[in-house]
Amino acid sequence: MELVIVTGLSGAGKSKAVDALEDMGFYCVDNMPPPLISKFAALCVQPNSGISRVAVVTDMRSREMFGGLAAELELLTESDIPYKLLFLDTSDDILRHRYKETRRKHPLLTDESGSVNDAIQKERRLLEPARAAADYTIDTTTLLPNELKERIGDIFLDKIATGMLISCVSFGFKYGIHTEADLMFDVRCLPNPFYIAELKSKTGEDREVRDYVFGSAAGKELEKRITDLVEFLIPQYQNEGKSQLTIAYGCTGGKHRSVAFAQELFDNLSRKHKRIAIRHRDITKH
């Protein structure tokens, strides 16, 4: 049985994530208090249960019971029930906007607890152990619902036990750093194709831009050194049992240099690794 435990900040998109998992064939249960997770999982692993893929959502709606999540995860491990923990995060600004837009009440907001912002900060503190323990973390700050579904698919469409997922990502520093990155490389030190008239409207996915970026000695050497480092680190992360490795490249606007580097790494690693994905976060932005 495959068990996915979904948690994260209230308003970060857990319901959308569960919808995506349900579309992939998972049996999904929302708002499950942590003390019930191992009991429910034990029922699902029975030979006659008819359930092979399960996703449960547990979060601060469980109130004081959520504090028992760590102990419950230990109990699953002791019971030899494998699981993956998916954590959904997003920025405070987005959370405030979503609560204002939907007029929903934050689960930690009471008449005595102050503002929505206070409730968000309290929830972040309480969720920090779960975020640190997560196998997969998705920041939904810039994701549309269909993009979140694609990210969920990248992780869970294949069997969970098929190995570490490697994600190659490009982004633009002008739109904020990529908060999910395990490894982040700044390639703004290289000449910018944006200032070349015939390349300005193209992207790093185009051969002309990639030829320009890697045509210089500095570009070629930087790509080689980063690739050598990444190829050295991948087995180290795998040996530590890491489920997801996100490698992010940033340039000014996220359209030329970072895209070229992410695409080049993706092409190189695809020859050796089966579970690999690529995403250009800011390629369509102006």
Side-chain angles (χ1 to χ4, degrees), residues 155-210:
I155 298 171
F156 296 113
L157 268 179
D158 293 329
K159 292 289 185 182
I160 288 180
T162 55
M164 184 173 71
L165 172 65
I166 302 171
S167 297
C168 303
V169 181
S170 68
F171 70 94
F173 279 101
K174 67 186 292 185
Y175 303 111
I177 65 170
H178 188 69
T179 57
E180 296 173 33
D182 299 292
L183 300 171
M184 186 184 302
F185 300 101
D186 183 349
V187 296
R188 290 176 293 181
C189 57
L190 299 175
N192 192 349
F194 178 84
Y195 297 108
I196 307 299
E198 59 269 27
L199 300 179
K200 181 176 181 178
S201 61
K202 297 182 183 295
T203 74
E205 293 183 309
D206 294 310
R207 174 49 58 186
E208 300 94 322
V209 173
R210 291 174 71 176

Side-chain angles (χ1 to χ4, degrees), residues 20-263:
L21 288 167
E22 195 165 42
D23 290 344
M24 295 171 198
F26 281 82
Y27 181 86
C28 300
V29 182
D30 190 17
N31 197 14
M32 180 174 286
L36 296 181
I37 294 176
S38 61
K39 297 178 177 61
F40 178 69
L43 291 174
C44 293
V45 298
Q46 297 300 315
N48 60 351
S49 72
I51 298 175
S52 61
R53 311 188 87 188
V54 180
V56 299
V57 179
T58 185
D59 53 34
M60 283 302 162
R61 290 173 293 176
S62 300
R63 303 282 178 170
E64 286 77 10
M65 287 187 286
F66 187 81
L69 179 60
E72 199 68 8
L73 297 180
E74 289 183 11
L75 186 57
L76 289 172
T77 301
E78 293 171 0
S79 303
D80 292 324
I81 299 177
Y83 68 89
K84 294 296 181 183
L85 183 61
L86 170 64
F87 189 95
L88 296 186
D89 199 354
T90 197
S91 71
D92 291 354
D93 287 342
I94 293 295
L95 290 174
R96 285 190 289 267
H97 175 74
R98 288 174 182 171
Y99 274 102
K100 182 178 180 180
E101 188 177 59
T102 62
R103 298 180 184 273
R104 295 289 304 275
K105 183 180 179 181
H106 193 285
L108 296 184
L109 183 63
T110 65
D111 293 338
E112 297 81 23
S113 65
S115 66
V116 170
N117 189 62
D118 292 335
I120 291 171
Q121 298 310 313
K122 181 179 180 181
E123 185 177 36
R124 281 199 183 280
R125 291 192 297 271
L126 294 172
L127 285 172
E128 186 53 39
R131 194 185 198 284
D135 296 288
Y136 305 103
T137 300
I138 298 177
D139 187 333
T140 65
T141 301
T142 62
L143 296 183
L144 298 173
N146 64 309
E147 293 173 327
L148 175 58
K149 185 173 183 178
E150 289 177 4
R151 297 291 304 282
I152 297 291
D154 287 341
I155 298 171
F156 296 113
L157 268 179
D158 293 329
K159 292 289 185 182
I160 288 180
T162 55
M164 184 173 71
L165 172 65
I166 302 171
S167 297
C168 303
V169 181
S170 68
F171 70 94
F173 279 101
K174 67 186 292 185
Y175 303 111
I177 65 170
H178 188 69
T179 57
E180 296 173 33
D182 299 292
L183 300 171
M184 186 184 302
F185 300 101
D186 183 349
V187 296
R188 290 176 293 181
C189 57
L190 299 175
N192 192 349
F194 178 84
Y195 297 108
I196 307 299
E198 59 269 27
L199 300 179
K200 181 176 181 178
S201 61
K202 297 182 183 295
T203 74
E205 293 183 309
D206 294 310
R207 174 49 58 186
E208 300 94 322
V209 173
R210 291 174 71 176
D211 287 345
Y212 177 85
V213 171
F214 301 120
S216 68
K220 188 179 299 182
E221 183 66 18
L222 182 59
E223 188 277 327
K224 180 182 182 302
R225 292 193 181 208
I226 292 176
T227 299
D228 288 345
L229 174 62
V230 168
E231 290 183 339
F232 169 77
L233 290 174
I234 285 174
Q236 316 309 318
Y237 283 116
Q238 289 173 324
N239 291 339
E240 289 299 312
K242 191 170 178 61
S243 300
Q244 181 181 22
L245 177 65
T246 301
I247 305 160
Y249 291 94
C251 62
T252 303
K255 186 175 180 180
H256 296 102
R257 293 164 291 180
S258 62
V259 173
F261 268 82
Q263 195 69 50

Side-chain angles (χ1 to χ4, degrees), residues 261-279:
F261 268 82
Q263 195 69 50
E264 190 75 11
L265 184 67
F266 174 81
D267 291 346
N268 290 333
L269 296 182
S270 293
R271 304 185 187 105
K272 302 177 183 179
H273 303 277
K274 293 182 178 179
R275 295 199 72 204
I276 185 164
I278 188 166
R279 184 165 72 96

